[in-house]
Amino acid sequence: MSLRSPGARTVALWFGLGLISGSDPAFAADPCRGILPGSDRESQPSRDVTTHDLVRLRDIGPSVGTGLPASPFALSPDKRQIAFVLSRADPKANDYCQALVVMDLTPDASPRLLDMGGNLIANKSWWRGTRFNSGSAIINTPQWSPDGKQIAYLRLENDLVQARLVRPDGPSVRTVTASRTDVRKLGFSDQGRLIFANEPGIEAAEAARRDEALRGYLYDEAFVPNASSRPSIAGPVPEAVHSLGLETNKERPATAEEAAILNRTRDITWSQDALLVAQSKSGWKAWTARLDPGAYAGQADLFVQAPHESAVRCLEAACMTGPRGIEGLWWSEAENSLIFLRRGGWADSQMLLYRWRPGRAAQQILATNDLLVGCQFVREHLLCAREASARPRRIVLIDARTGSQTELFDPNPEYRGLRLGRTERLHWKTPDGVECFGDLVLPPDYDGARPLPTITVQYLTRGFLRGGVGDEYPIFPLAAQGFAVFSFQRPPDFYETIKDGSLTSFTDAQRADTQNWNDRTRVNSALMGGLDLLVARGIADPARLGITGLSDGATTTQFALVNGPHRFAAAAVSTGFMEPGSTQIYGGIAWGEQLATFGYPSLDQDQTAFWKPISVALNAQSIETPILMQVADEEYLTALESFAHLRAWDRAVEMYVFPAEHHIKQKPSHRLAIYERVIDWFGFWLLGKTDTTTAKAPQYVRWNKLKVGQPDPRETRMDIAPTQASTSTSDKSR
């Protein structure tokens, strides 16, 4: 189920895995074994990738298939070193290791481990006026002191986030804050004072809730029943910013100038509407801003201004970027040229790097299907985290003059010896001309002689093909089991096609998406076009198609099942489906009222006409696809409406509930179990695989019972409608 509406993705996309509870000292050494590559001396023979390989990936920052709002690594003041937090899951210990790492910016440099321990830190945000934990993690970017002699970063200690201080040249490590609520942000003043923010009002708000419990809670907008039987604290709670002297350990309220450090506002004085800003040492300025600030998600334009001159808007084609805009701006002192990174190419599927000197034509330096995140400019190079379809994230230097690359650090060198199968970038159009893209992953030994059972994974496909949004559908391990995997990129929302300036708010945009299910119809058309392409090429077996999804991907799945009840032979989802009661009752008052502003009928109105095109519950009789639901305990209530109706019609459905989990599931043992059950589920329904000799035998007994009386999808054949499509055969890899 989508957290906002069927037509919108949650901001939780920006973040990867989240917090896990507690930290047993008995496991302290185990999760951190092998945190740096090569230190565990594990042999890596050439073999197929497994679910264990995937869950044990080392991560530099969250990996979610799109850009990040902040860089996961930090440059030292002299720009000769970087610091970052390296994370790795251990399903055996059911824990994570986090390690603070520093390394020189030279190709032969080795990473140095400065500190390790503590769990991933949950990204607790404010959502519809309540405290919300999506299960995603923060971007834990270290902060250098101005003299480069100390590094501060966030660490979870005794269930509270504190500031940790480390000297990169010595063994000095200490926790320097004793905040009674989570430390949320960190920075240093020019004088070397540690600036940090917390939310002290949360402590009083939680105490008030405990007092209220003695008298009973008033059921109001603070309740989100599917998440908890207790009300959330109301918010947002104001942040307080503090200034700490590291020599004296004395703390005081931060000045306005110090507080501005955390909000990155000190140097933004020339355009209050700026989205991105950059200023050269010689006084040249550049920024992006919406030409019509009143239009919701309107086009972002690039402006430059020479010292003592008026601002100029860039009118070159390279500067025209649409609503997603330019993703990075940097000034090169060479010839006062501007370096900018943007999306472009077919359906904005590529990342394009340009060098532009105002008054001359922009020069394209690089065009790649790879994902570049967290880029920073250093000595005429971009320092970026780079990931390809078949290569996990690594740190690289890209020459901003030539586009050539130097790899600095690969946290997962073991993957070079694994057989990942062949990947191919796919391009096609919907009948109404919408450009679409996705990635195809084939089994390592596939010879093209026969069509394959094909599983769709959603709904972002930029960068390393891990497990889709939420990381629950292991793409390369599925391919190793004989499946073709179609990693589908959701097209932009329908509202982005409305360019007349009539949309001025998020609510306007959502109403446009919701009306006549415009957005869901658009996404479904794109999905079916991609599958038609694979069937027409003889790769996908039309009788053995599977589909998966979390959040917006689960909503895409339900729309596809309702509007093509015979198309898919098996499905798996990670959240519940959008249903009338699930959204407006179990979602709580605030969500129900918000949906009404988007055009959903309230409960005192007729539900059938509106919901019939998408509701699994209202269409359970006609849905023949076996459905596996693996949901968090915080969200299982919103899955019950669909589940109960499917069971009432004797449909093949099974649901697992994972304790102490959120929208994004985080515990390593849960992630591994989800991975493996997904492979088993699709192996059973699409390949006819069973295992009656191991601990998995009981699930196959249940599934065989579910199969009794169900139509055999392998006996169904479909007429495939032609789709205007094309493929890119130039971007293939092992």
Side-chain angles (χ1 to χ4, degrees):
M1 176 181 294
S2 249
L3 290 181
R4 296 190 317 210
S5 77
R9 262 82 57 227
T10 169
V11 293
L13 300 185
W14 281 352
F15 308 102
L17 299 171
L19 175 67
I20 61 177
S21 59
S23 180
D24 188 336
F27 291 141
D30 192 34
C32 288
R33 177 179 177 271
I35 185 63
L36 289 179
S39 61
D40 55 6
R41 301 181 183 276
E42 294 177 357
S43 61
Q44 293 293 331
S46 180
R47 56 175 175 78
D48 292 343
V49 67
T50 69
T51 54
H52 285 267
D53 295 320
L54 207 58
V55 82
R56 291 281 285 159
L57 272 172
R58 301 177 187 90
D59 288 315
I60 302 171
S63 182
V64 293
T66 189
L68 299 174
S71 178
F73 44 79
L75 272 168
S76 61
D78 63 6
K79 297 189 175 182
R80 296 181 181 277
Q81 299 181 90
I82 55 170
F84 53 89
V85 174
L86 191 64
S87 300
R88 197 185 198 194
D90 184 343
K92 187 174 181 180
N94 200 24
D95 206 347
Y96 287 85
C97 178
Q98 287 206 109
L100 178 64
V101 177
V102 166
M103 62 181 298
D104 296 332
L105 287 182
T106 55
D108 57 349
S110 297
R112 305 194 307 275
L113 191 62
L114 299 185
D115 191 22
M116 62 183 179
N119 288 322
L120 295 182
I121 301 171
N123 178 45
K124 299 174 183 176
S125 57
W126 297 100
W127 196 256
R128 302 188 192 100
T130 62
R131 193 68 155 170
F132 174 66
N133 182 354
S134 71
S136 60
I138 67 166
I139 303 172
N140 194 358
T141 308
Q143 302 294 322
W144 290 83
S145 63
D147 60 8
K149 294 181 179 180
Q150 298 186 90
I151 301 172
Y153 77 110
L154 297 176
R155 176 163 151 160
L156 187 67
E157 298 183 349
N158 299 319
D159 295 325
L160 283 174
V161 181
Q162 304 290 356
R164 186 94 159 162
L165 199 66
V166 181
R167 293 188 65 90
D169 59 353
S172 175
V173 179
R174 60 190 174 112
T175 300
V176 292
T177 57
S179 176
R180 295 168 66 92
T181 61
D182 289 338
V183 175
R184 303 276 290 173
K185 300 175 184 175
L186 283 178
F188 280 96
S189 71
D190 293 338
Q191 293 73 38
R193 295 182 67 87
L194 182 68
I195 313 301
F196 69 94
N198 62 4
E199 297 166 312
I202 285 179
E203 192 174 21
E206 290 175 340
R209 285 297 189 206
R210 290 192 295 271
D211 182 62
E212 185 183 356
L214 302 176
R215 307 182 304 276
Y217 298 118
L218 173 68
Y219 187 84
D220 58 12
E221 291 82 357
F223 270 92
V224 184
N226 67 297
S228 176
S229 59
R230 294 180 173 85
S232 166
I233 59 174
V237 171
E239 285 186 344
V241 185
H242 312 269
S243 178
L244 178 65
L246 298 177
E247 298 298 327
T248 63
N249 274 345
K250 291 184 178 180
E251 179 185 317
R252 60 167 171 76
T255 64
E257 183 179 1
E258 289 173 332
I261 294 170
L262 300 187
N263 296 321
R264 308 292 191 262
T265 59
R266 285 191 299 175
D267 302 322
I268 305 176
T269 57
W270 62 86
S271 177
Q272 294 303 311
D273 296 322
L275 304 172
L276 289 175
V277 297
Q279 184 169 7
S280 72
K281 293 179 181 178
S282 58
W284 281 77
K285 300 170 184 177
W287 67 94
T288 60
R290 304 207 185 281
L291 201 59
D292 180 1
Y296 183 77
Q299 177 173 310
D301 290 271
L302 174 62
F303 299 85
V304 294
Q305 185 175 11
H308 313 298
E309 295 185 14
S310 300
V312 176
R313 177 186 172 209
C314 179
L315 298 177
E316 291 205 31
C319 304
M320 304 301 178
T321 61
R324 272 162 296 286
I326 291 169
E327 297 197 354
L329 282 176
W330 308 271
W331 278 105
S332 166
E333 297 306 314
E335 301 179 338
N336 281 325
S337 55
L338 183 68
I339 310 298
F340 61 91
L341 182 67
R342 54 159 291 189
R343 291 184 184 177
W346 184 278
D348 282 344
S349 61
Q350 292 187 306
M351 302 208 77
L352 309 177
L353 182 64
Y354 286 90
R355 189 180 193 97
W356 177 51
R357 184 179 181 184
R360 299 182 182 180
Q363 178 187 3
Q364 187 179 102
I365 305 299
L366 177 69
T368 179
N369 289 331
D370 291 358
L371 180 66
L372 303 174
V373 297
C375 296
Q376 300 180 51
F377 194 69
V378 52
R379 297 193 295 275
E380 296 301 318
H381 288 75
L382 278 189
L383 174 69
C384 300
R386 183 170 189 164
E387 49 187 283
S389 297
R391 281 204 68 183
R393 183 175 296 174
R394 63 234 188 253
I395 299 176
V396 302
L397 276 174
I398 299 173
D399 193 314
R401 295 157 296 195
T402 67
S404 62
Q405 172 186 298
T406 302
E407 185 172 293
L408 297 180
F409 176 55
D410 181 358
N412 297 286
E414 301 90 345
Y415 267 69
R416 300 174 195 170
L418 298 178
R419 303 195 323 146
L420 297 179
R422 182 166 60 90
T423 66
E424 178 183 346
R425 175 58 55 90
L426 304 171
H427 294 166
W428 71 96
K429 287 184 179 180
T430 63
D432 59 346
V434 176
E435 291 184 347
C436 306
F437 73 97
D439 288 297
L440 172 66
V441 180
L442 295 170
D445 296 323
Y446 180 60
D447 58 8
R450 66 203 183 284
L452 296 171
T454 301
I455 300 170
T456 297
V457 174
Q458 302 183 71
Y459 50 93
L460 297 174
T461 188
R462 304 178 190 273
F464 181 61
L465 300 178
R466 193 165 182 161
V469 172
D471 189 22
E472 297 197 17
Y473 301 98
I475 291 174
F476 287 108
L478 280 165
Q481 295 297 315
F483 298 100
V485 182
F486 172 43
S487 182
F488 170 65
Q489 174 73 30
R490 183 201 199 280
D493 282 78
F494 171 82
Y495 70 75
E496 293 191 19
T497 65
I498 302 174
K499 303 181 184 298
D500 60 3
S502 61
L503 306 181
T504 61
S505 67
F506 173 72
T507 298
D508 288 345
Q510 293 310 300
R511 289 186 69 88
D513 275 359
T514 301
Q515 185 178 14
N516 299 320
W517 298 108
N518 286 329
D519 187 60
R520 298 272 46 114
T521 302
R522 188 176 201 243
V523 174
N524 191 63
S525 176
L527 172 63
M528 296 306 157
L531 290 172
D532 290 349
L533 171 63
L534 295 177
V535 171
R537 288 179 54 185
I539 293 172
D541 183 345
R544 294 185 295 168
L545 299 180
I547 187 169
T548 68
L550 174 142
S551 195
D552 185 81
T555 309
T556 295
T557 297
Q558 76 176 98
F559 195 85
L561 295 180
V562 168
N563 292 277
H566 308 295
R567 180 106 212 223
F568 293 98
V573 293
S574 307
T575 45
F577 297 127
M578 295 287 291
E579 301 284 6
S582 299
T583 54
Q584 298 179 76
I585 298 175
Y586 297 126
I589 294 173
W591 194 16
E593 291 179 345
Q594 184 185 52
L595 289 177
T597 68
F598 297 164
Y600 288 68
S602 60
L603 290 176
D604 62 346
Q605 297 173 315
D606 176 66
Q607 302 287 313
T608 304
F610 177 85
W611 283 98
K612 187 67 174 177
I614 193 172
S615 167
V616 169
L618 294 177
N619 293 279
Q621 183 179 7
S622 62
I623 293 176
E624 298 176 349
T625 304
I627 302 173
L628 173 67
M629 309 175 83
Q630 300 194 90
V631 298
D633 59 347
E634 278 198 357
E635 296 187 328
Y636 88 98
L637 286 180
T638 53
L640 291 181
E641 188 172 356
S642 310
F643 179 80
H645 280 268
L646 289 168
R647 277 182 58 87
W649 285 103
D650 200 26
R651 296 305 183 226
V653 60
E654 184 162 278
M655 181 163 65
Y656 286 80
V657 179
F658 290 86
E661 289 287 14
H662 309 283
H663 191 63
I664 304 295
K665 302 176 192 72
Q666 54 206 214
K667 291 183 171 57
S669 61
H670 289 169
R671 291 176 53 211
L672 183 61
I674 290 167
Y675 278 171
E676 294 185 347
R677 189 172 292 119
V678 163
I679 291 174
D680 292 345
W681 179 260
F682 286 109
F684 177 80
W685 292 101
L686 303 187
L687 294 174
K689 289 184 177 180
T690 60
D691 181 354
T692 59
T693 62
T694 68
K696 294 182 178 180
Q699 77 178 9
Y700 291 104
V701 172
R702 295 194 310 274
W703 295 351
N704 274 304
K705 290 180 179 178
L706 290 176
K707 200 171 186 179
V708 174
Q710 301 295 324
D712 187 347
R714 290 173 293 177
E715 296 178 357
T716 304
R717 291 292 182 267
M718 298 188 57
D719 295 326
I720 304 302
T723 301
Q724 183 180 358
S726 64
T727 69
S728 169
T729 57
S730 60
D731 182 42
K732 297 181 180 180
S733 63
R734 179 185 62 81

